[in-house]
Amino acid sequence: MNKLVQGWFSADGKELRGSISTGSKRGDCIVQIVRHSNREVVGQRFYNGQKESEVPTVKELLEQTKIKGQKISLDALHLKPNTLKLIDESKGKYLVGLKGNQKKLLKKMRRSLWDLPEIHDKSTYEKGHGRYEQRNYTCYDISSVAIDQRWGEVNFQTLVQVHRKRKVLKTNKQTEEVAYYISNIATKNIETAEELFNAVRNHWQVEANNNIRDCILKEDKLCTSNSFVTRTIACLRSLTMRLLDLIKPKNRAAQLDLFADKFHCCLDHLRAIKFL
């Protein structure tokens, strides 16, 4: 992959619930790297949730797919020195959530906000899915903030604060939350700040994919203790989603029903996109 043309990607894991055996709490899990712009899966890997964890799996996947040299958004679970150092040393860029799992760092950044000037801020307003949502984005230069030695080689540059307010239109119930993200991208102008704000918003493309897998492809309905079967079918679902994205149907579920009833239509579509 050409490092000179960097794009944004998200990495996240998903439990394959149908693989959880009776009496167990975890089963097989899938980790995917998804392109922000079109939800294309560019890499995936599996791990056993009872014996392994998501953090090293994502790190290995970044190395294998060379995404480490791109721009990658990660949730707070992956705010780890080794993972961020890998990306920064590969000339890649990261945007990672900052939550209570790193209490000292979160406390330090919150305190630093009192002394740091705002680089840029932006507000957005959305109405949909039966709710109204307002987001206020602000970014700060944290390159001069003194941090623990363990973070010394990850090159923290910018802190993004997101203040979300939501109102359910039917009940008028209102909620508020403040989220934080750290990046090694130095915010020198409005364009860079806007890029980070958009990356925060688009990070959940992988969650959109997970919703499609569960709601349309019924991934969690497949119950089997055979790990080979679980992982093979999961790969086929990833392929199906990519083919549907290429076909661009208005309704994915209806398109799958059509293909099931009229298999020759499925073959015609696959030939049209040169899959066959």
Side-chain angles (χ1 to χ4, degrees):
M1 188 172 292
N2 187 356
K3 292 185 179 182
L4 297 178
V5 182
Q6 291 182 313
W8 277 102
F9 300 83
S10 298
D12 195 23
K14 176 186 181 295
E15 188 104 46
L16 302 174
R17 298 185 183 279
S19 68
I20 301 176
S21 302
T22 303
S24 299
K25 295 183 178 179
R26 302 296 307 273
D28 281 327
C29 304
I30 183 172
V31 169
Q32 294 186 318
I33 294 181
V34 177
R35 193 186 302 273
H36 278 204
S37 60
N38 60 4
R39 297 203 310 267
E40 177 188 1
V41 176
V42 299
Q44 69 179 30
R45 190 179 177 90
F46 298 93
Y47 69 93
N48 186 312
Q50 296 190 76
K51 304 174 183 178
E52 303 163 300
S53 73
E54 183 178 317
V55 173
T57 305
V58 166
K59 187 171 177 288
E60 292 170 5
L61 189 54
L62 290 175
E63 292 181 302
Q64 290 178 355
T65 58
K66 299 183 180 179
I67 295 297
K68 61 184 178 181
Q70 297 291 307
K71 297 175 181 177
I72 180 76
S73 61
L74 302 155
D75 62 32
L77 176 66
H78 301 284
L79 182 51
K80 307 287 186 183
N82 288 341
T83 300
L84 302 187
K85 180 182 176 183
L86 167 68
I87 297 171
D88 189 70
E89 288 184 342
S90 303
K91 307 301 181 183
K93 305 299 180 183
Y94 61 76
L95 176 75
V96 58
L98 171 60
K99 291 185 177 180
N101 61 320
Q102 297 291 351
K103 293 182 180 179
K104 290 184 178 180
L105 183 60
L106 178 59
K107 186 177 181 179
K108 178 69 174 180
M109 290 301 164
R110 281 175 170 170
R111 286 182 173 180
S112 299
L113 294 183
W114 294 101
D115 302 317
L116 295 173
E118 297 180 4
I119 299 175
H120 184 56
D121 67 291
K122 175 184 179 180
S123 295
T124 63
Y125 307 87
E126 293 182 9
K127 183 178 179 181
H129 304 288
R131 68 186 183 188
Y132 171 84
E133 186 165 334
Q134 176 183 344
R135 296 186 184 88
N136 299 313
Y137 299 87
T138 310
C139 63
Y140 303 84
D141 182 351
I142 58 172
S143 59
S144 62
V145 176
I147 54 177
D148 290 345
Q149 185 178 358
R150 65 191 293 252
W151 302 107
E153 297 182 274
V154 301
N155 190 27
F156 288 154
Q157 293 291 325
T158 300
L159 178 72
V160 178
Q161 180 189 64
V162 185
H163 186 189
R164 300 185 182 94
K165 295 181 180 180
R166 296 187 180 96
K167 178 180 179 180
V168 178
L169 300 178
K170 188 175 182 179
T171 63
N172 283 326
K173 181 180 179 180
Q174 299 184 47
T175 59
E176 288 189 45
E177 65 175 337
V178 179
Y180 299 92
Y181 303 83
I182 288 183
S183 177
N184 64 338
I185 296 177
T187 309
K188 301 300 184 183
N189 51 49
I190 292 177
E191 288 74 18
T192 307
E194 291 280 348
E195 179 183 4
L196 287 174
F197 297 161
N198 289 333
V200 169
R201 188 73 179 98
N202 293 330
H203 170 69
W204 300 111
Q205 294 295 350
V206 66
E207 291 296 333
N209 269 10
N210 289 343
N211 183 65
I212 294 171
R213 299 178 75 98
D214 288 336
C215 295
I216 297 179
L217 301 183
K218 310 298 182 183
E219 184 155 63
D220 288 342
K221 298 295 184 181
L222 174 66
C223 296
T224 174
S225 59
N226 189 317
S227 183
F228 177 78
V229 172
T230 297
R231 299 183 181 196
T232 300
I233 298 299
C235 288
L236 292 175
R237 282 191 170 91
S238 296
L239 176 59
T240 299
M241 289 180 62
R242 181 55 183 156
L243 293 175
L244 286 173
D245 285 339
L246 292 174
I247 294 171
K248 294 182 172 36
K250 292 183 178 180
N251 186 311
R252 289 184 175 88
Q255 190 69 59
L256 289 174
D257 287 341
L258 174 65
F259 287 162
D261 294 336
K262 299 180 180 180
F263 188 62
H264 66 277
C265 291
C266 177
L267 296 178
D268 290 342
H269 276 80
L270 293 179
R271 292 189 187 99
I273 61 175
K274 298 181 180 179
F275 181 76
L276 296 178

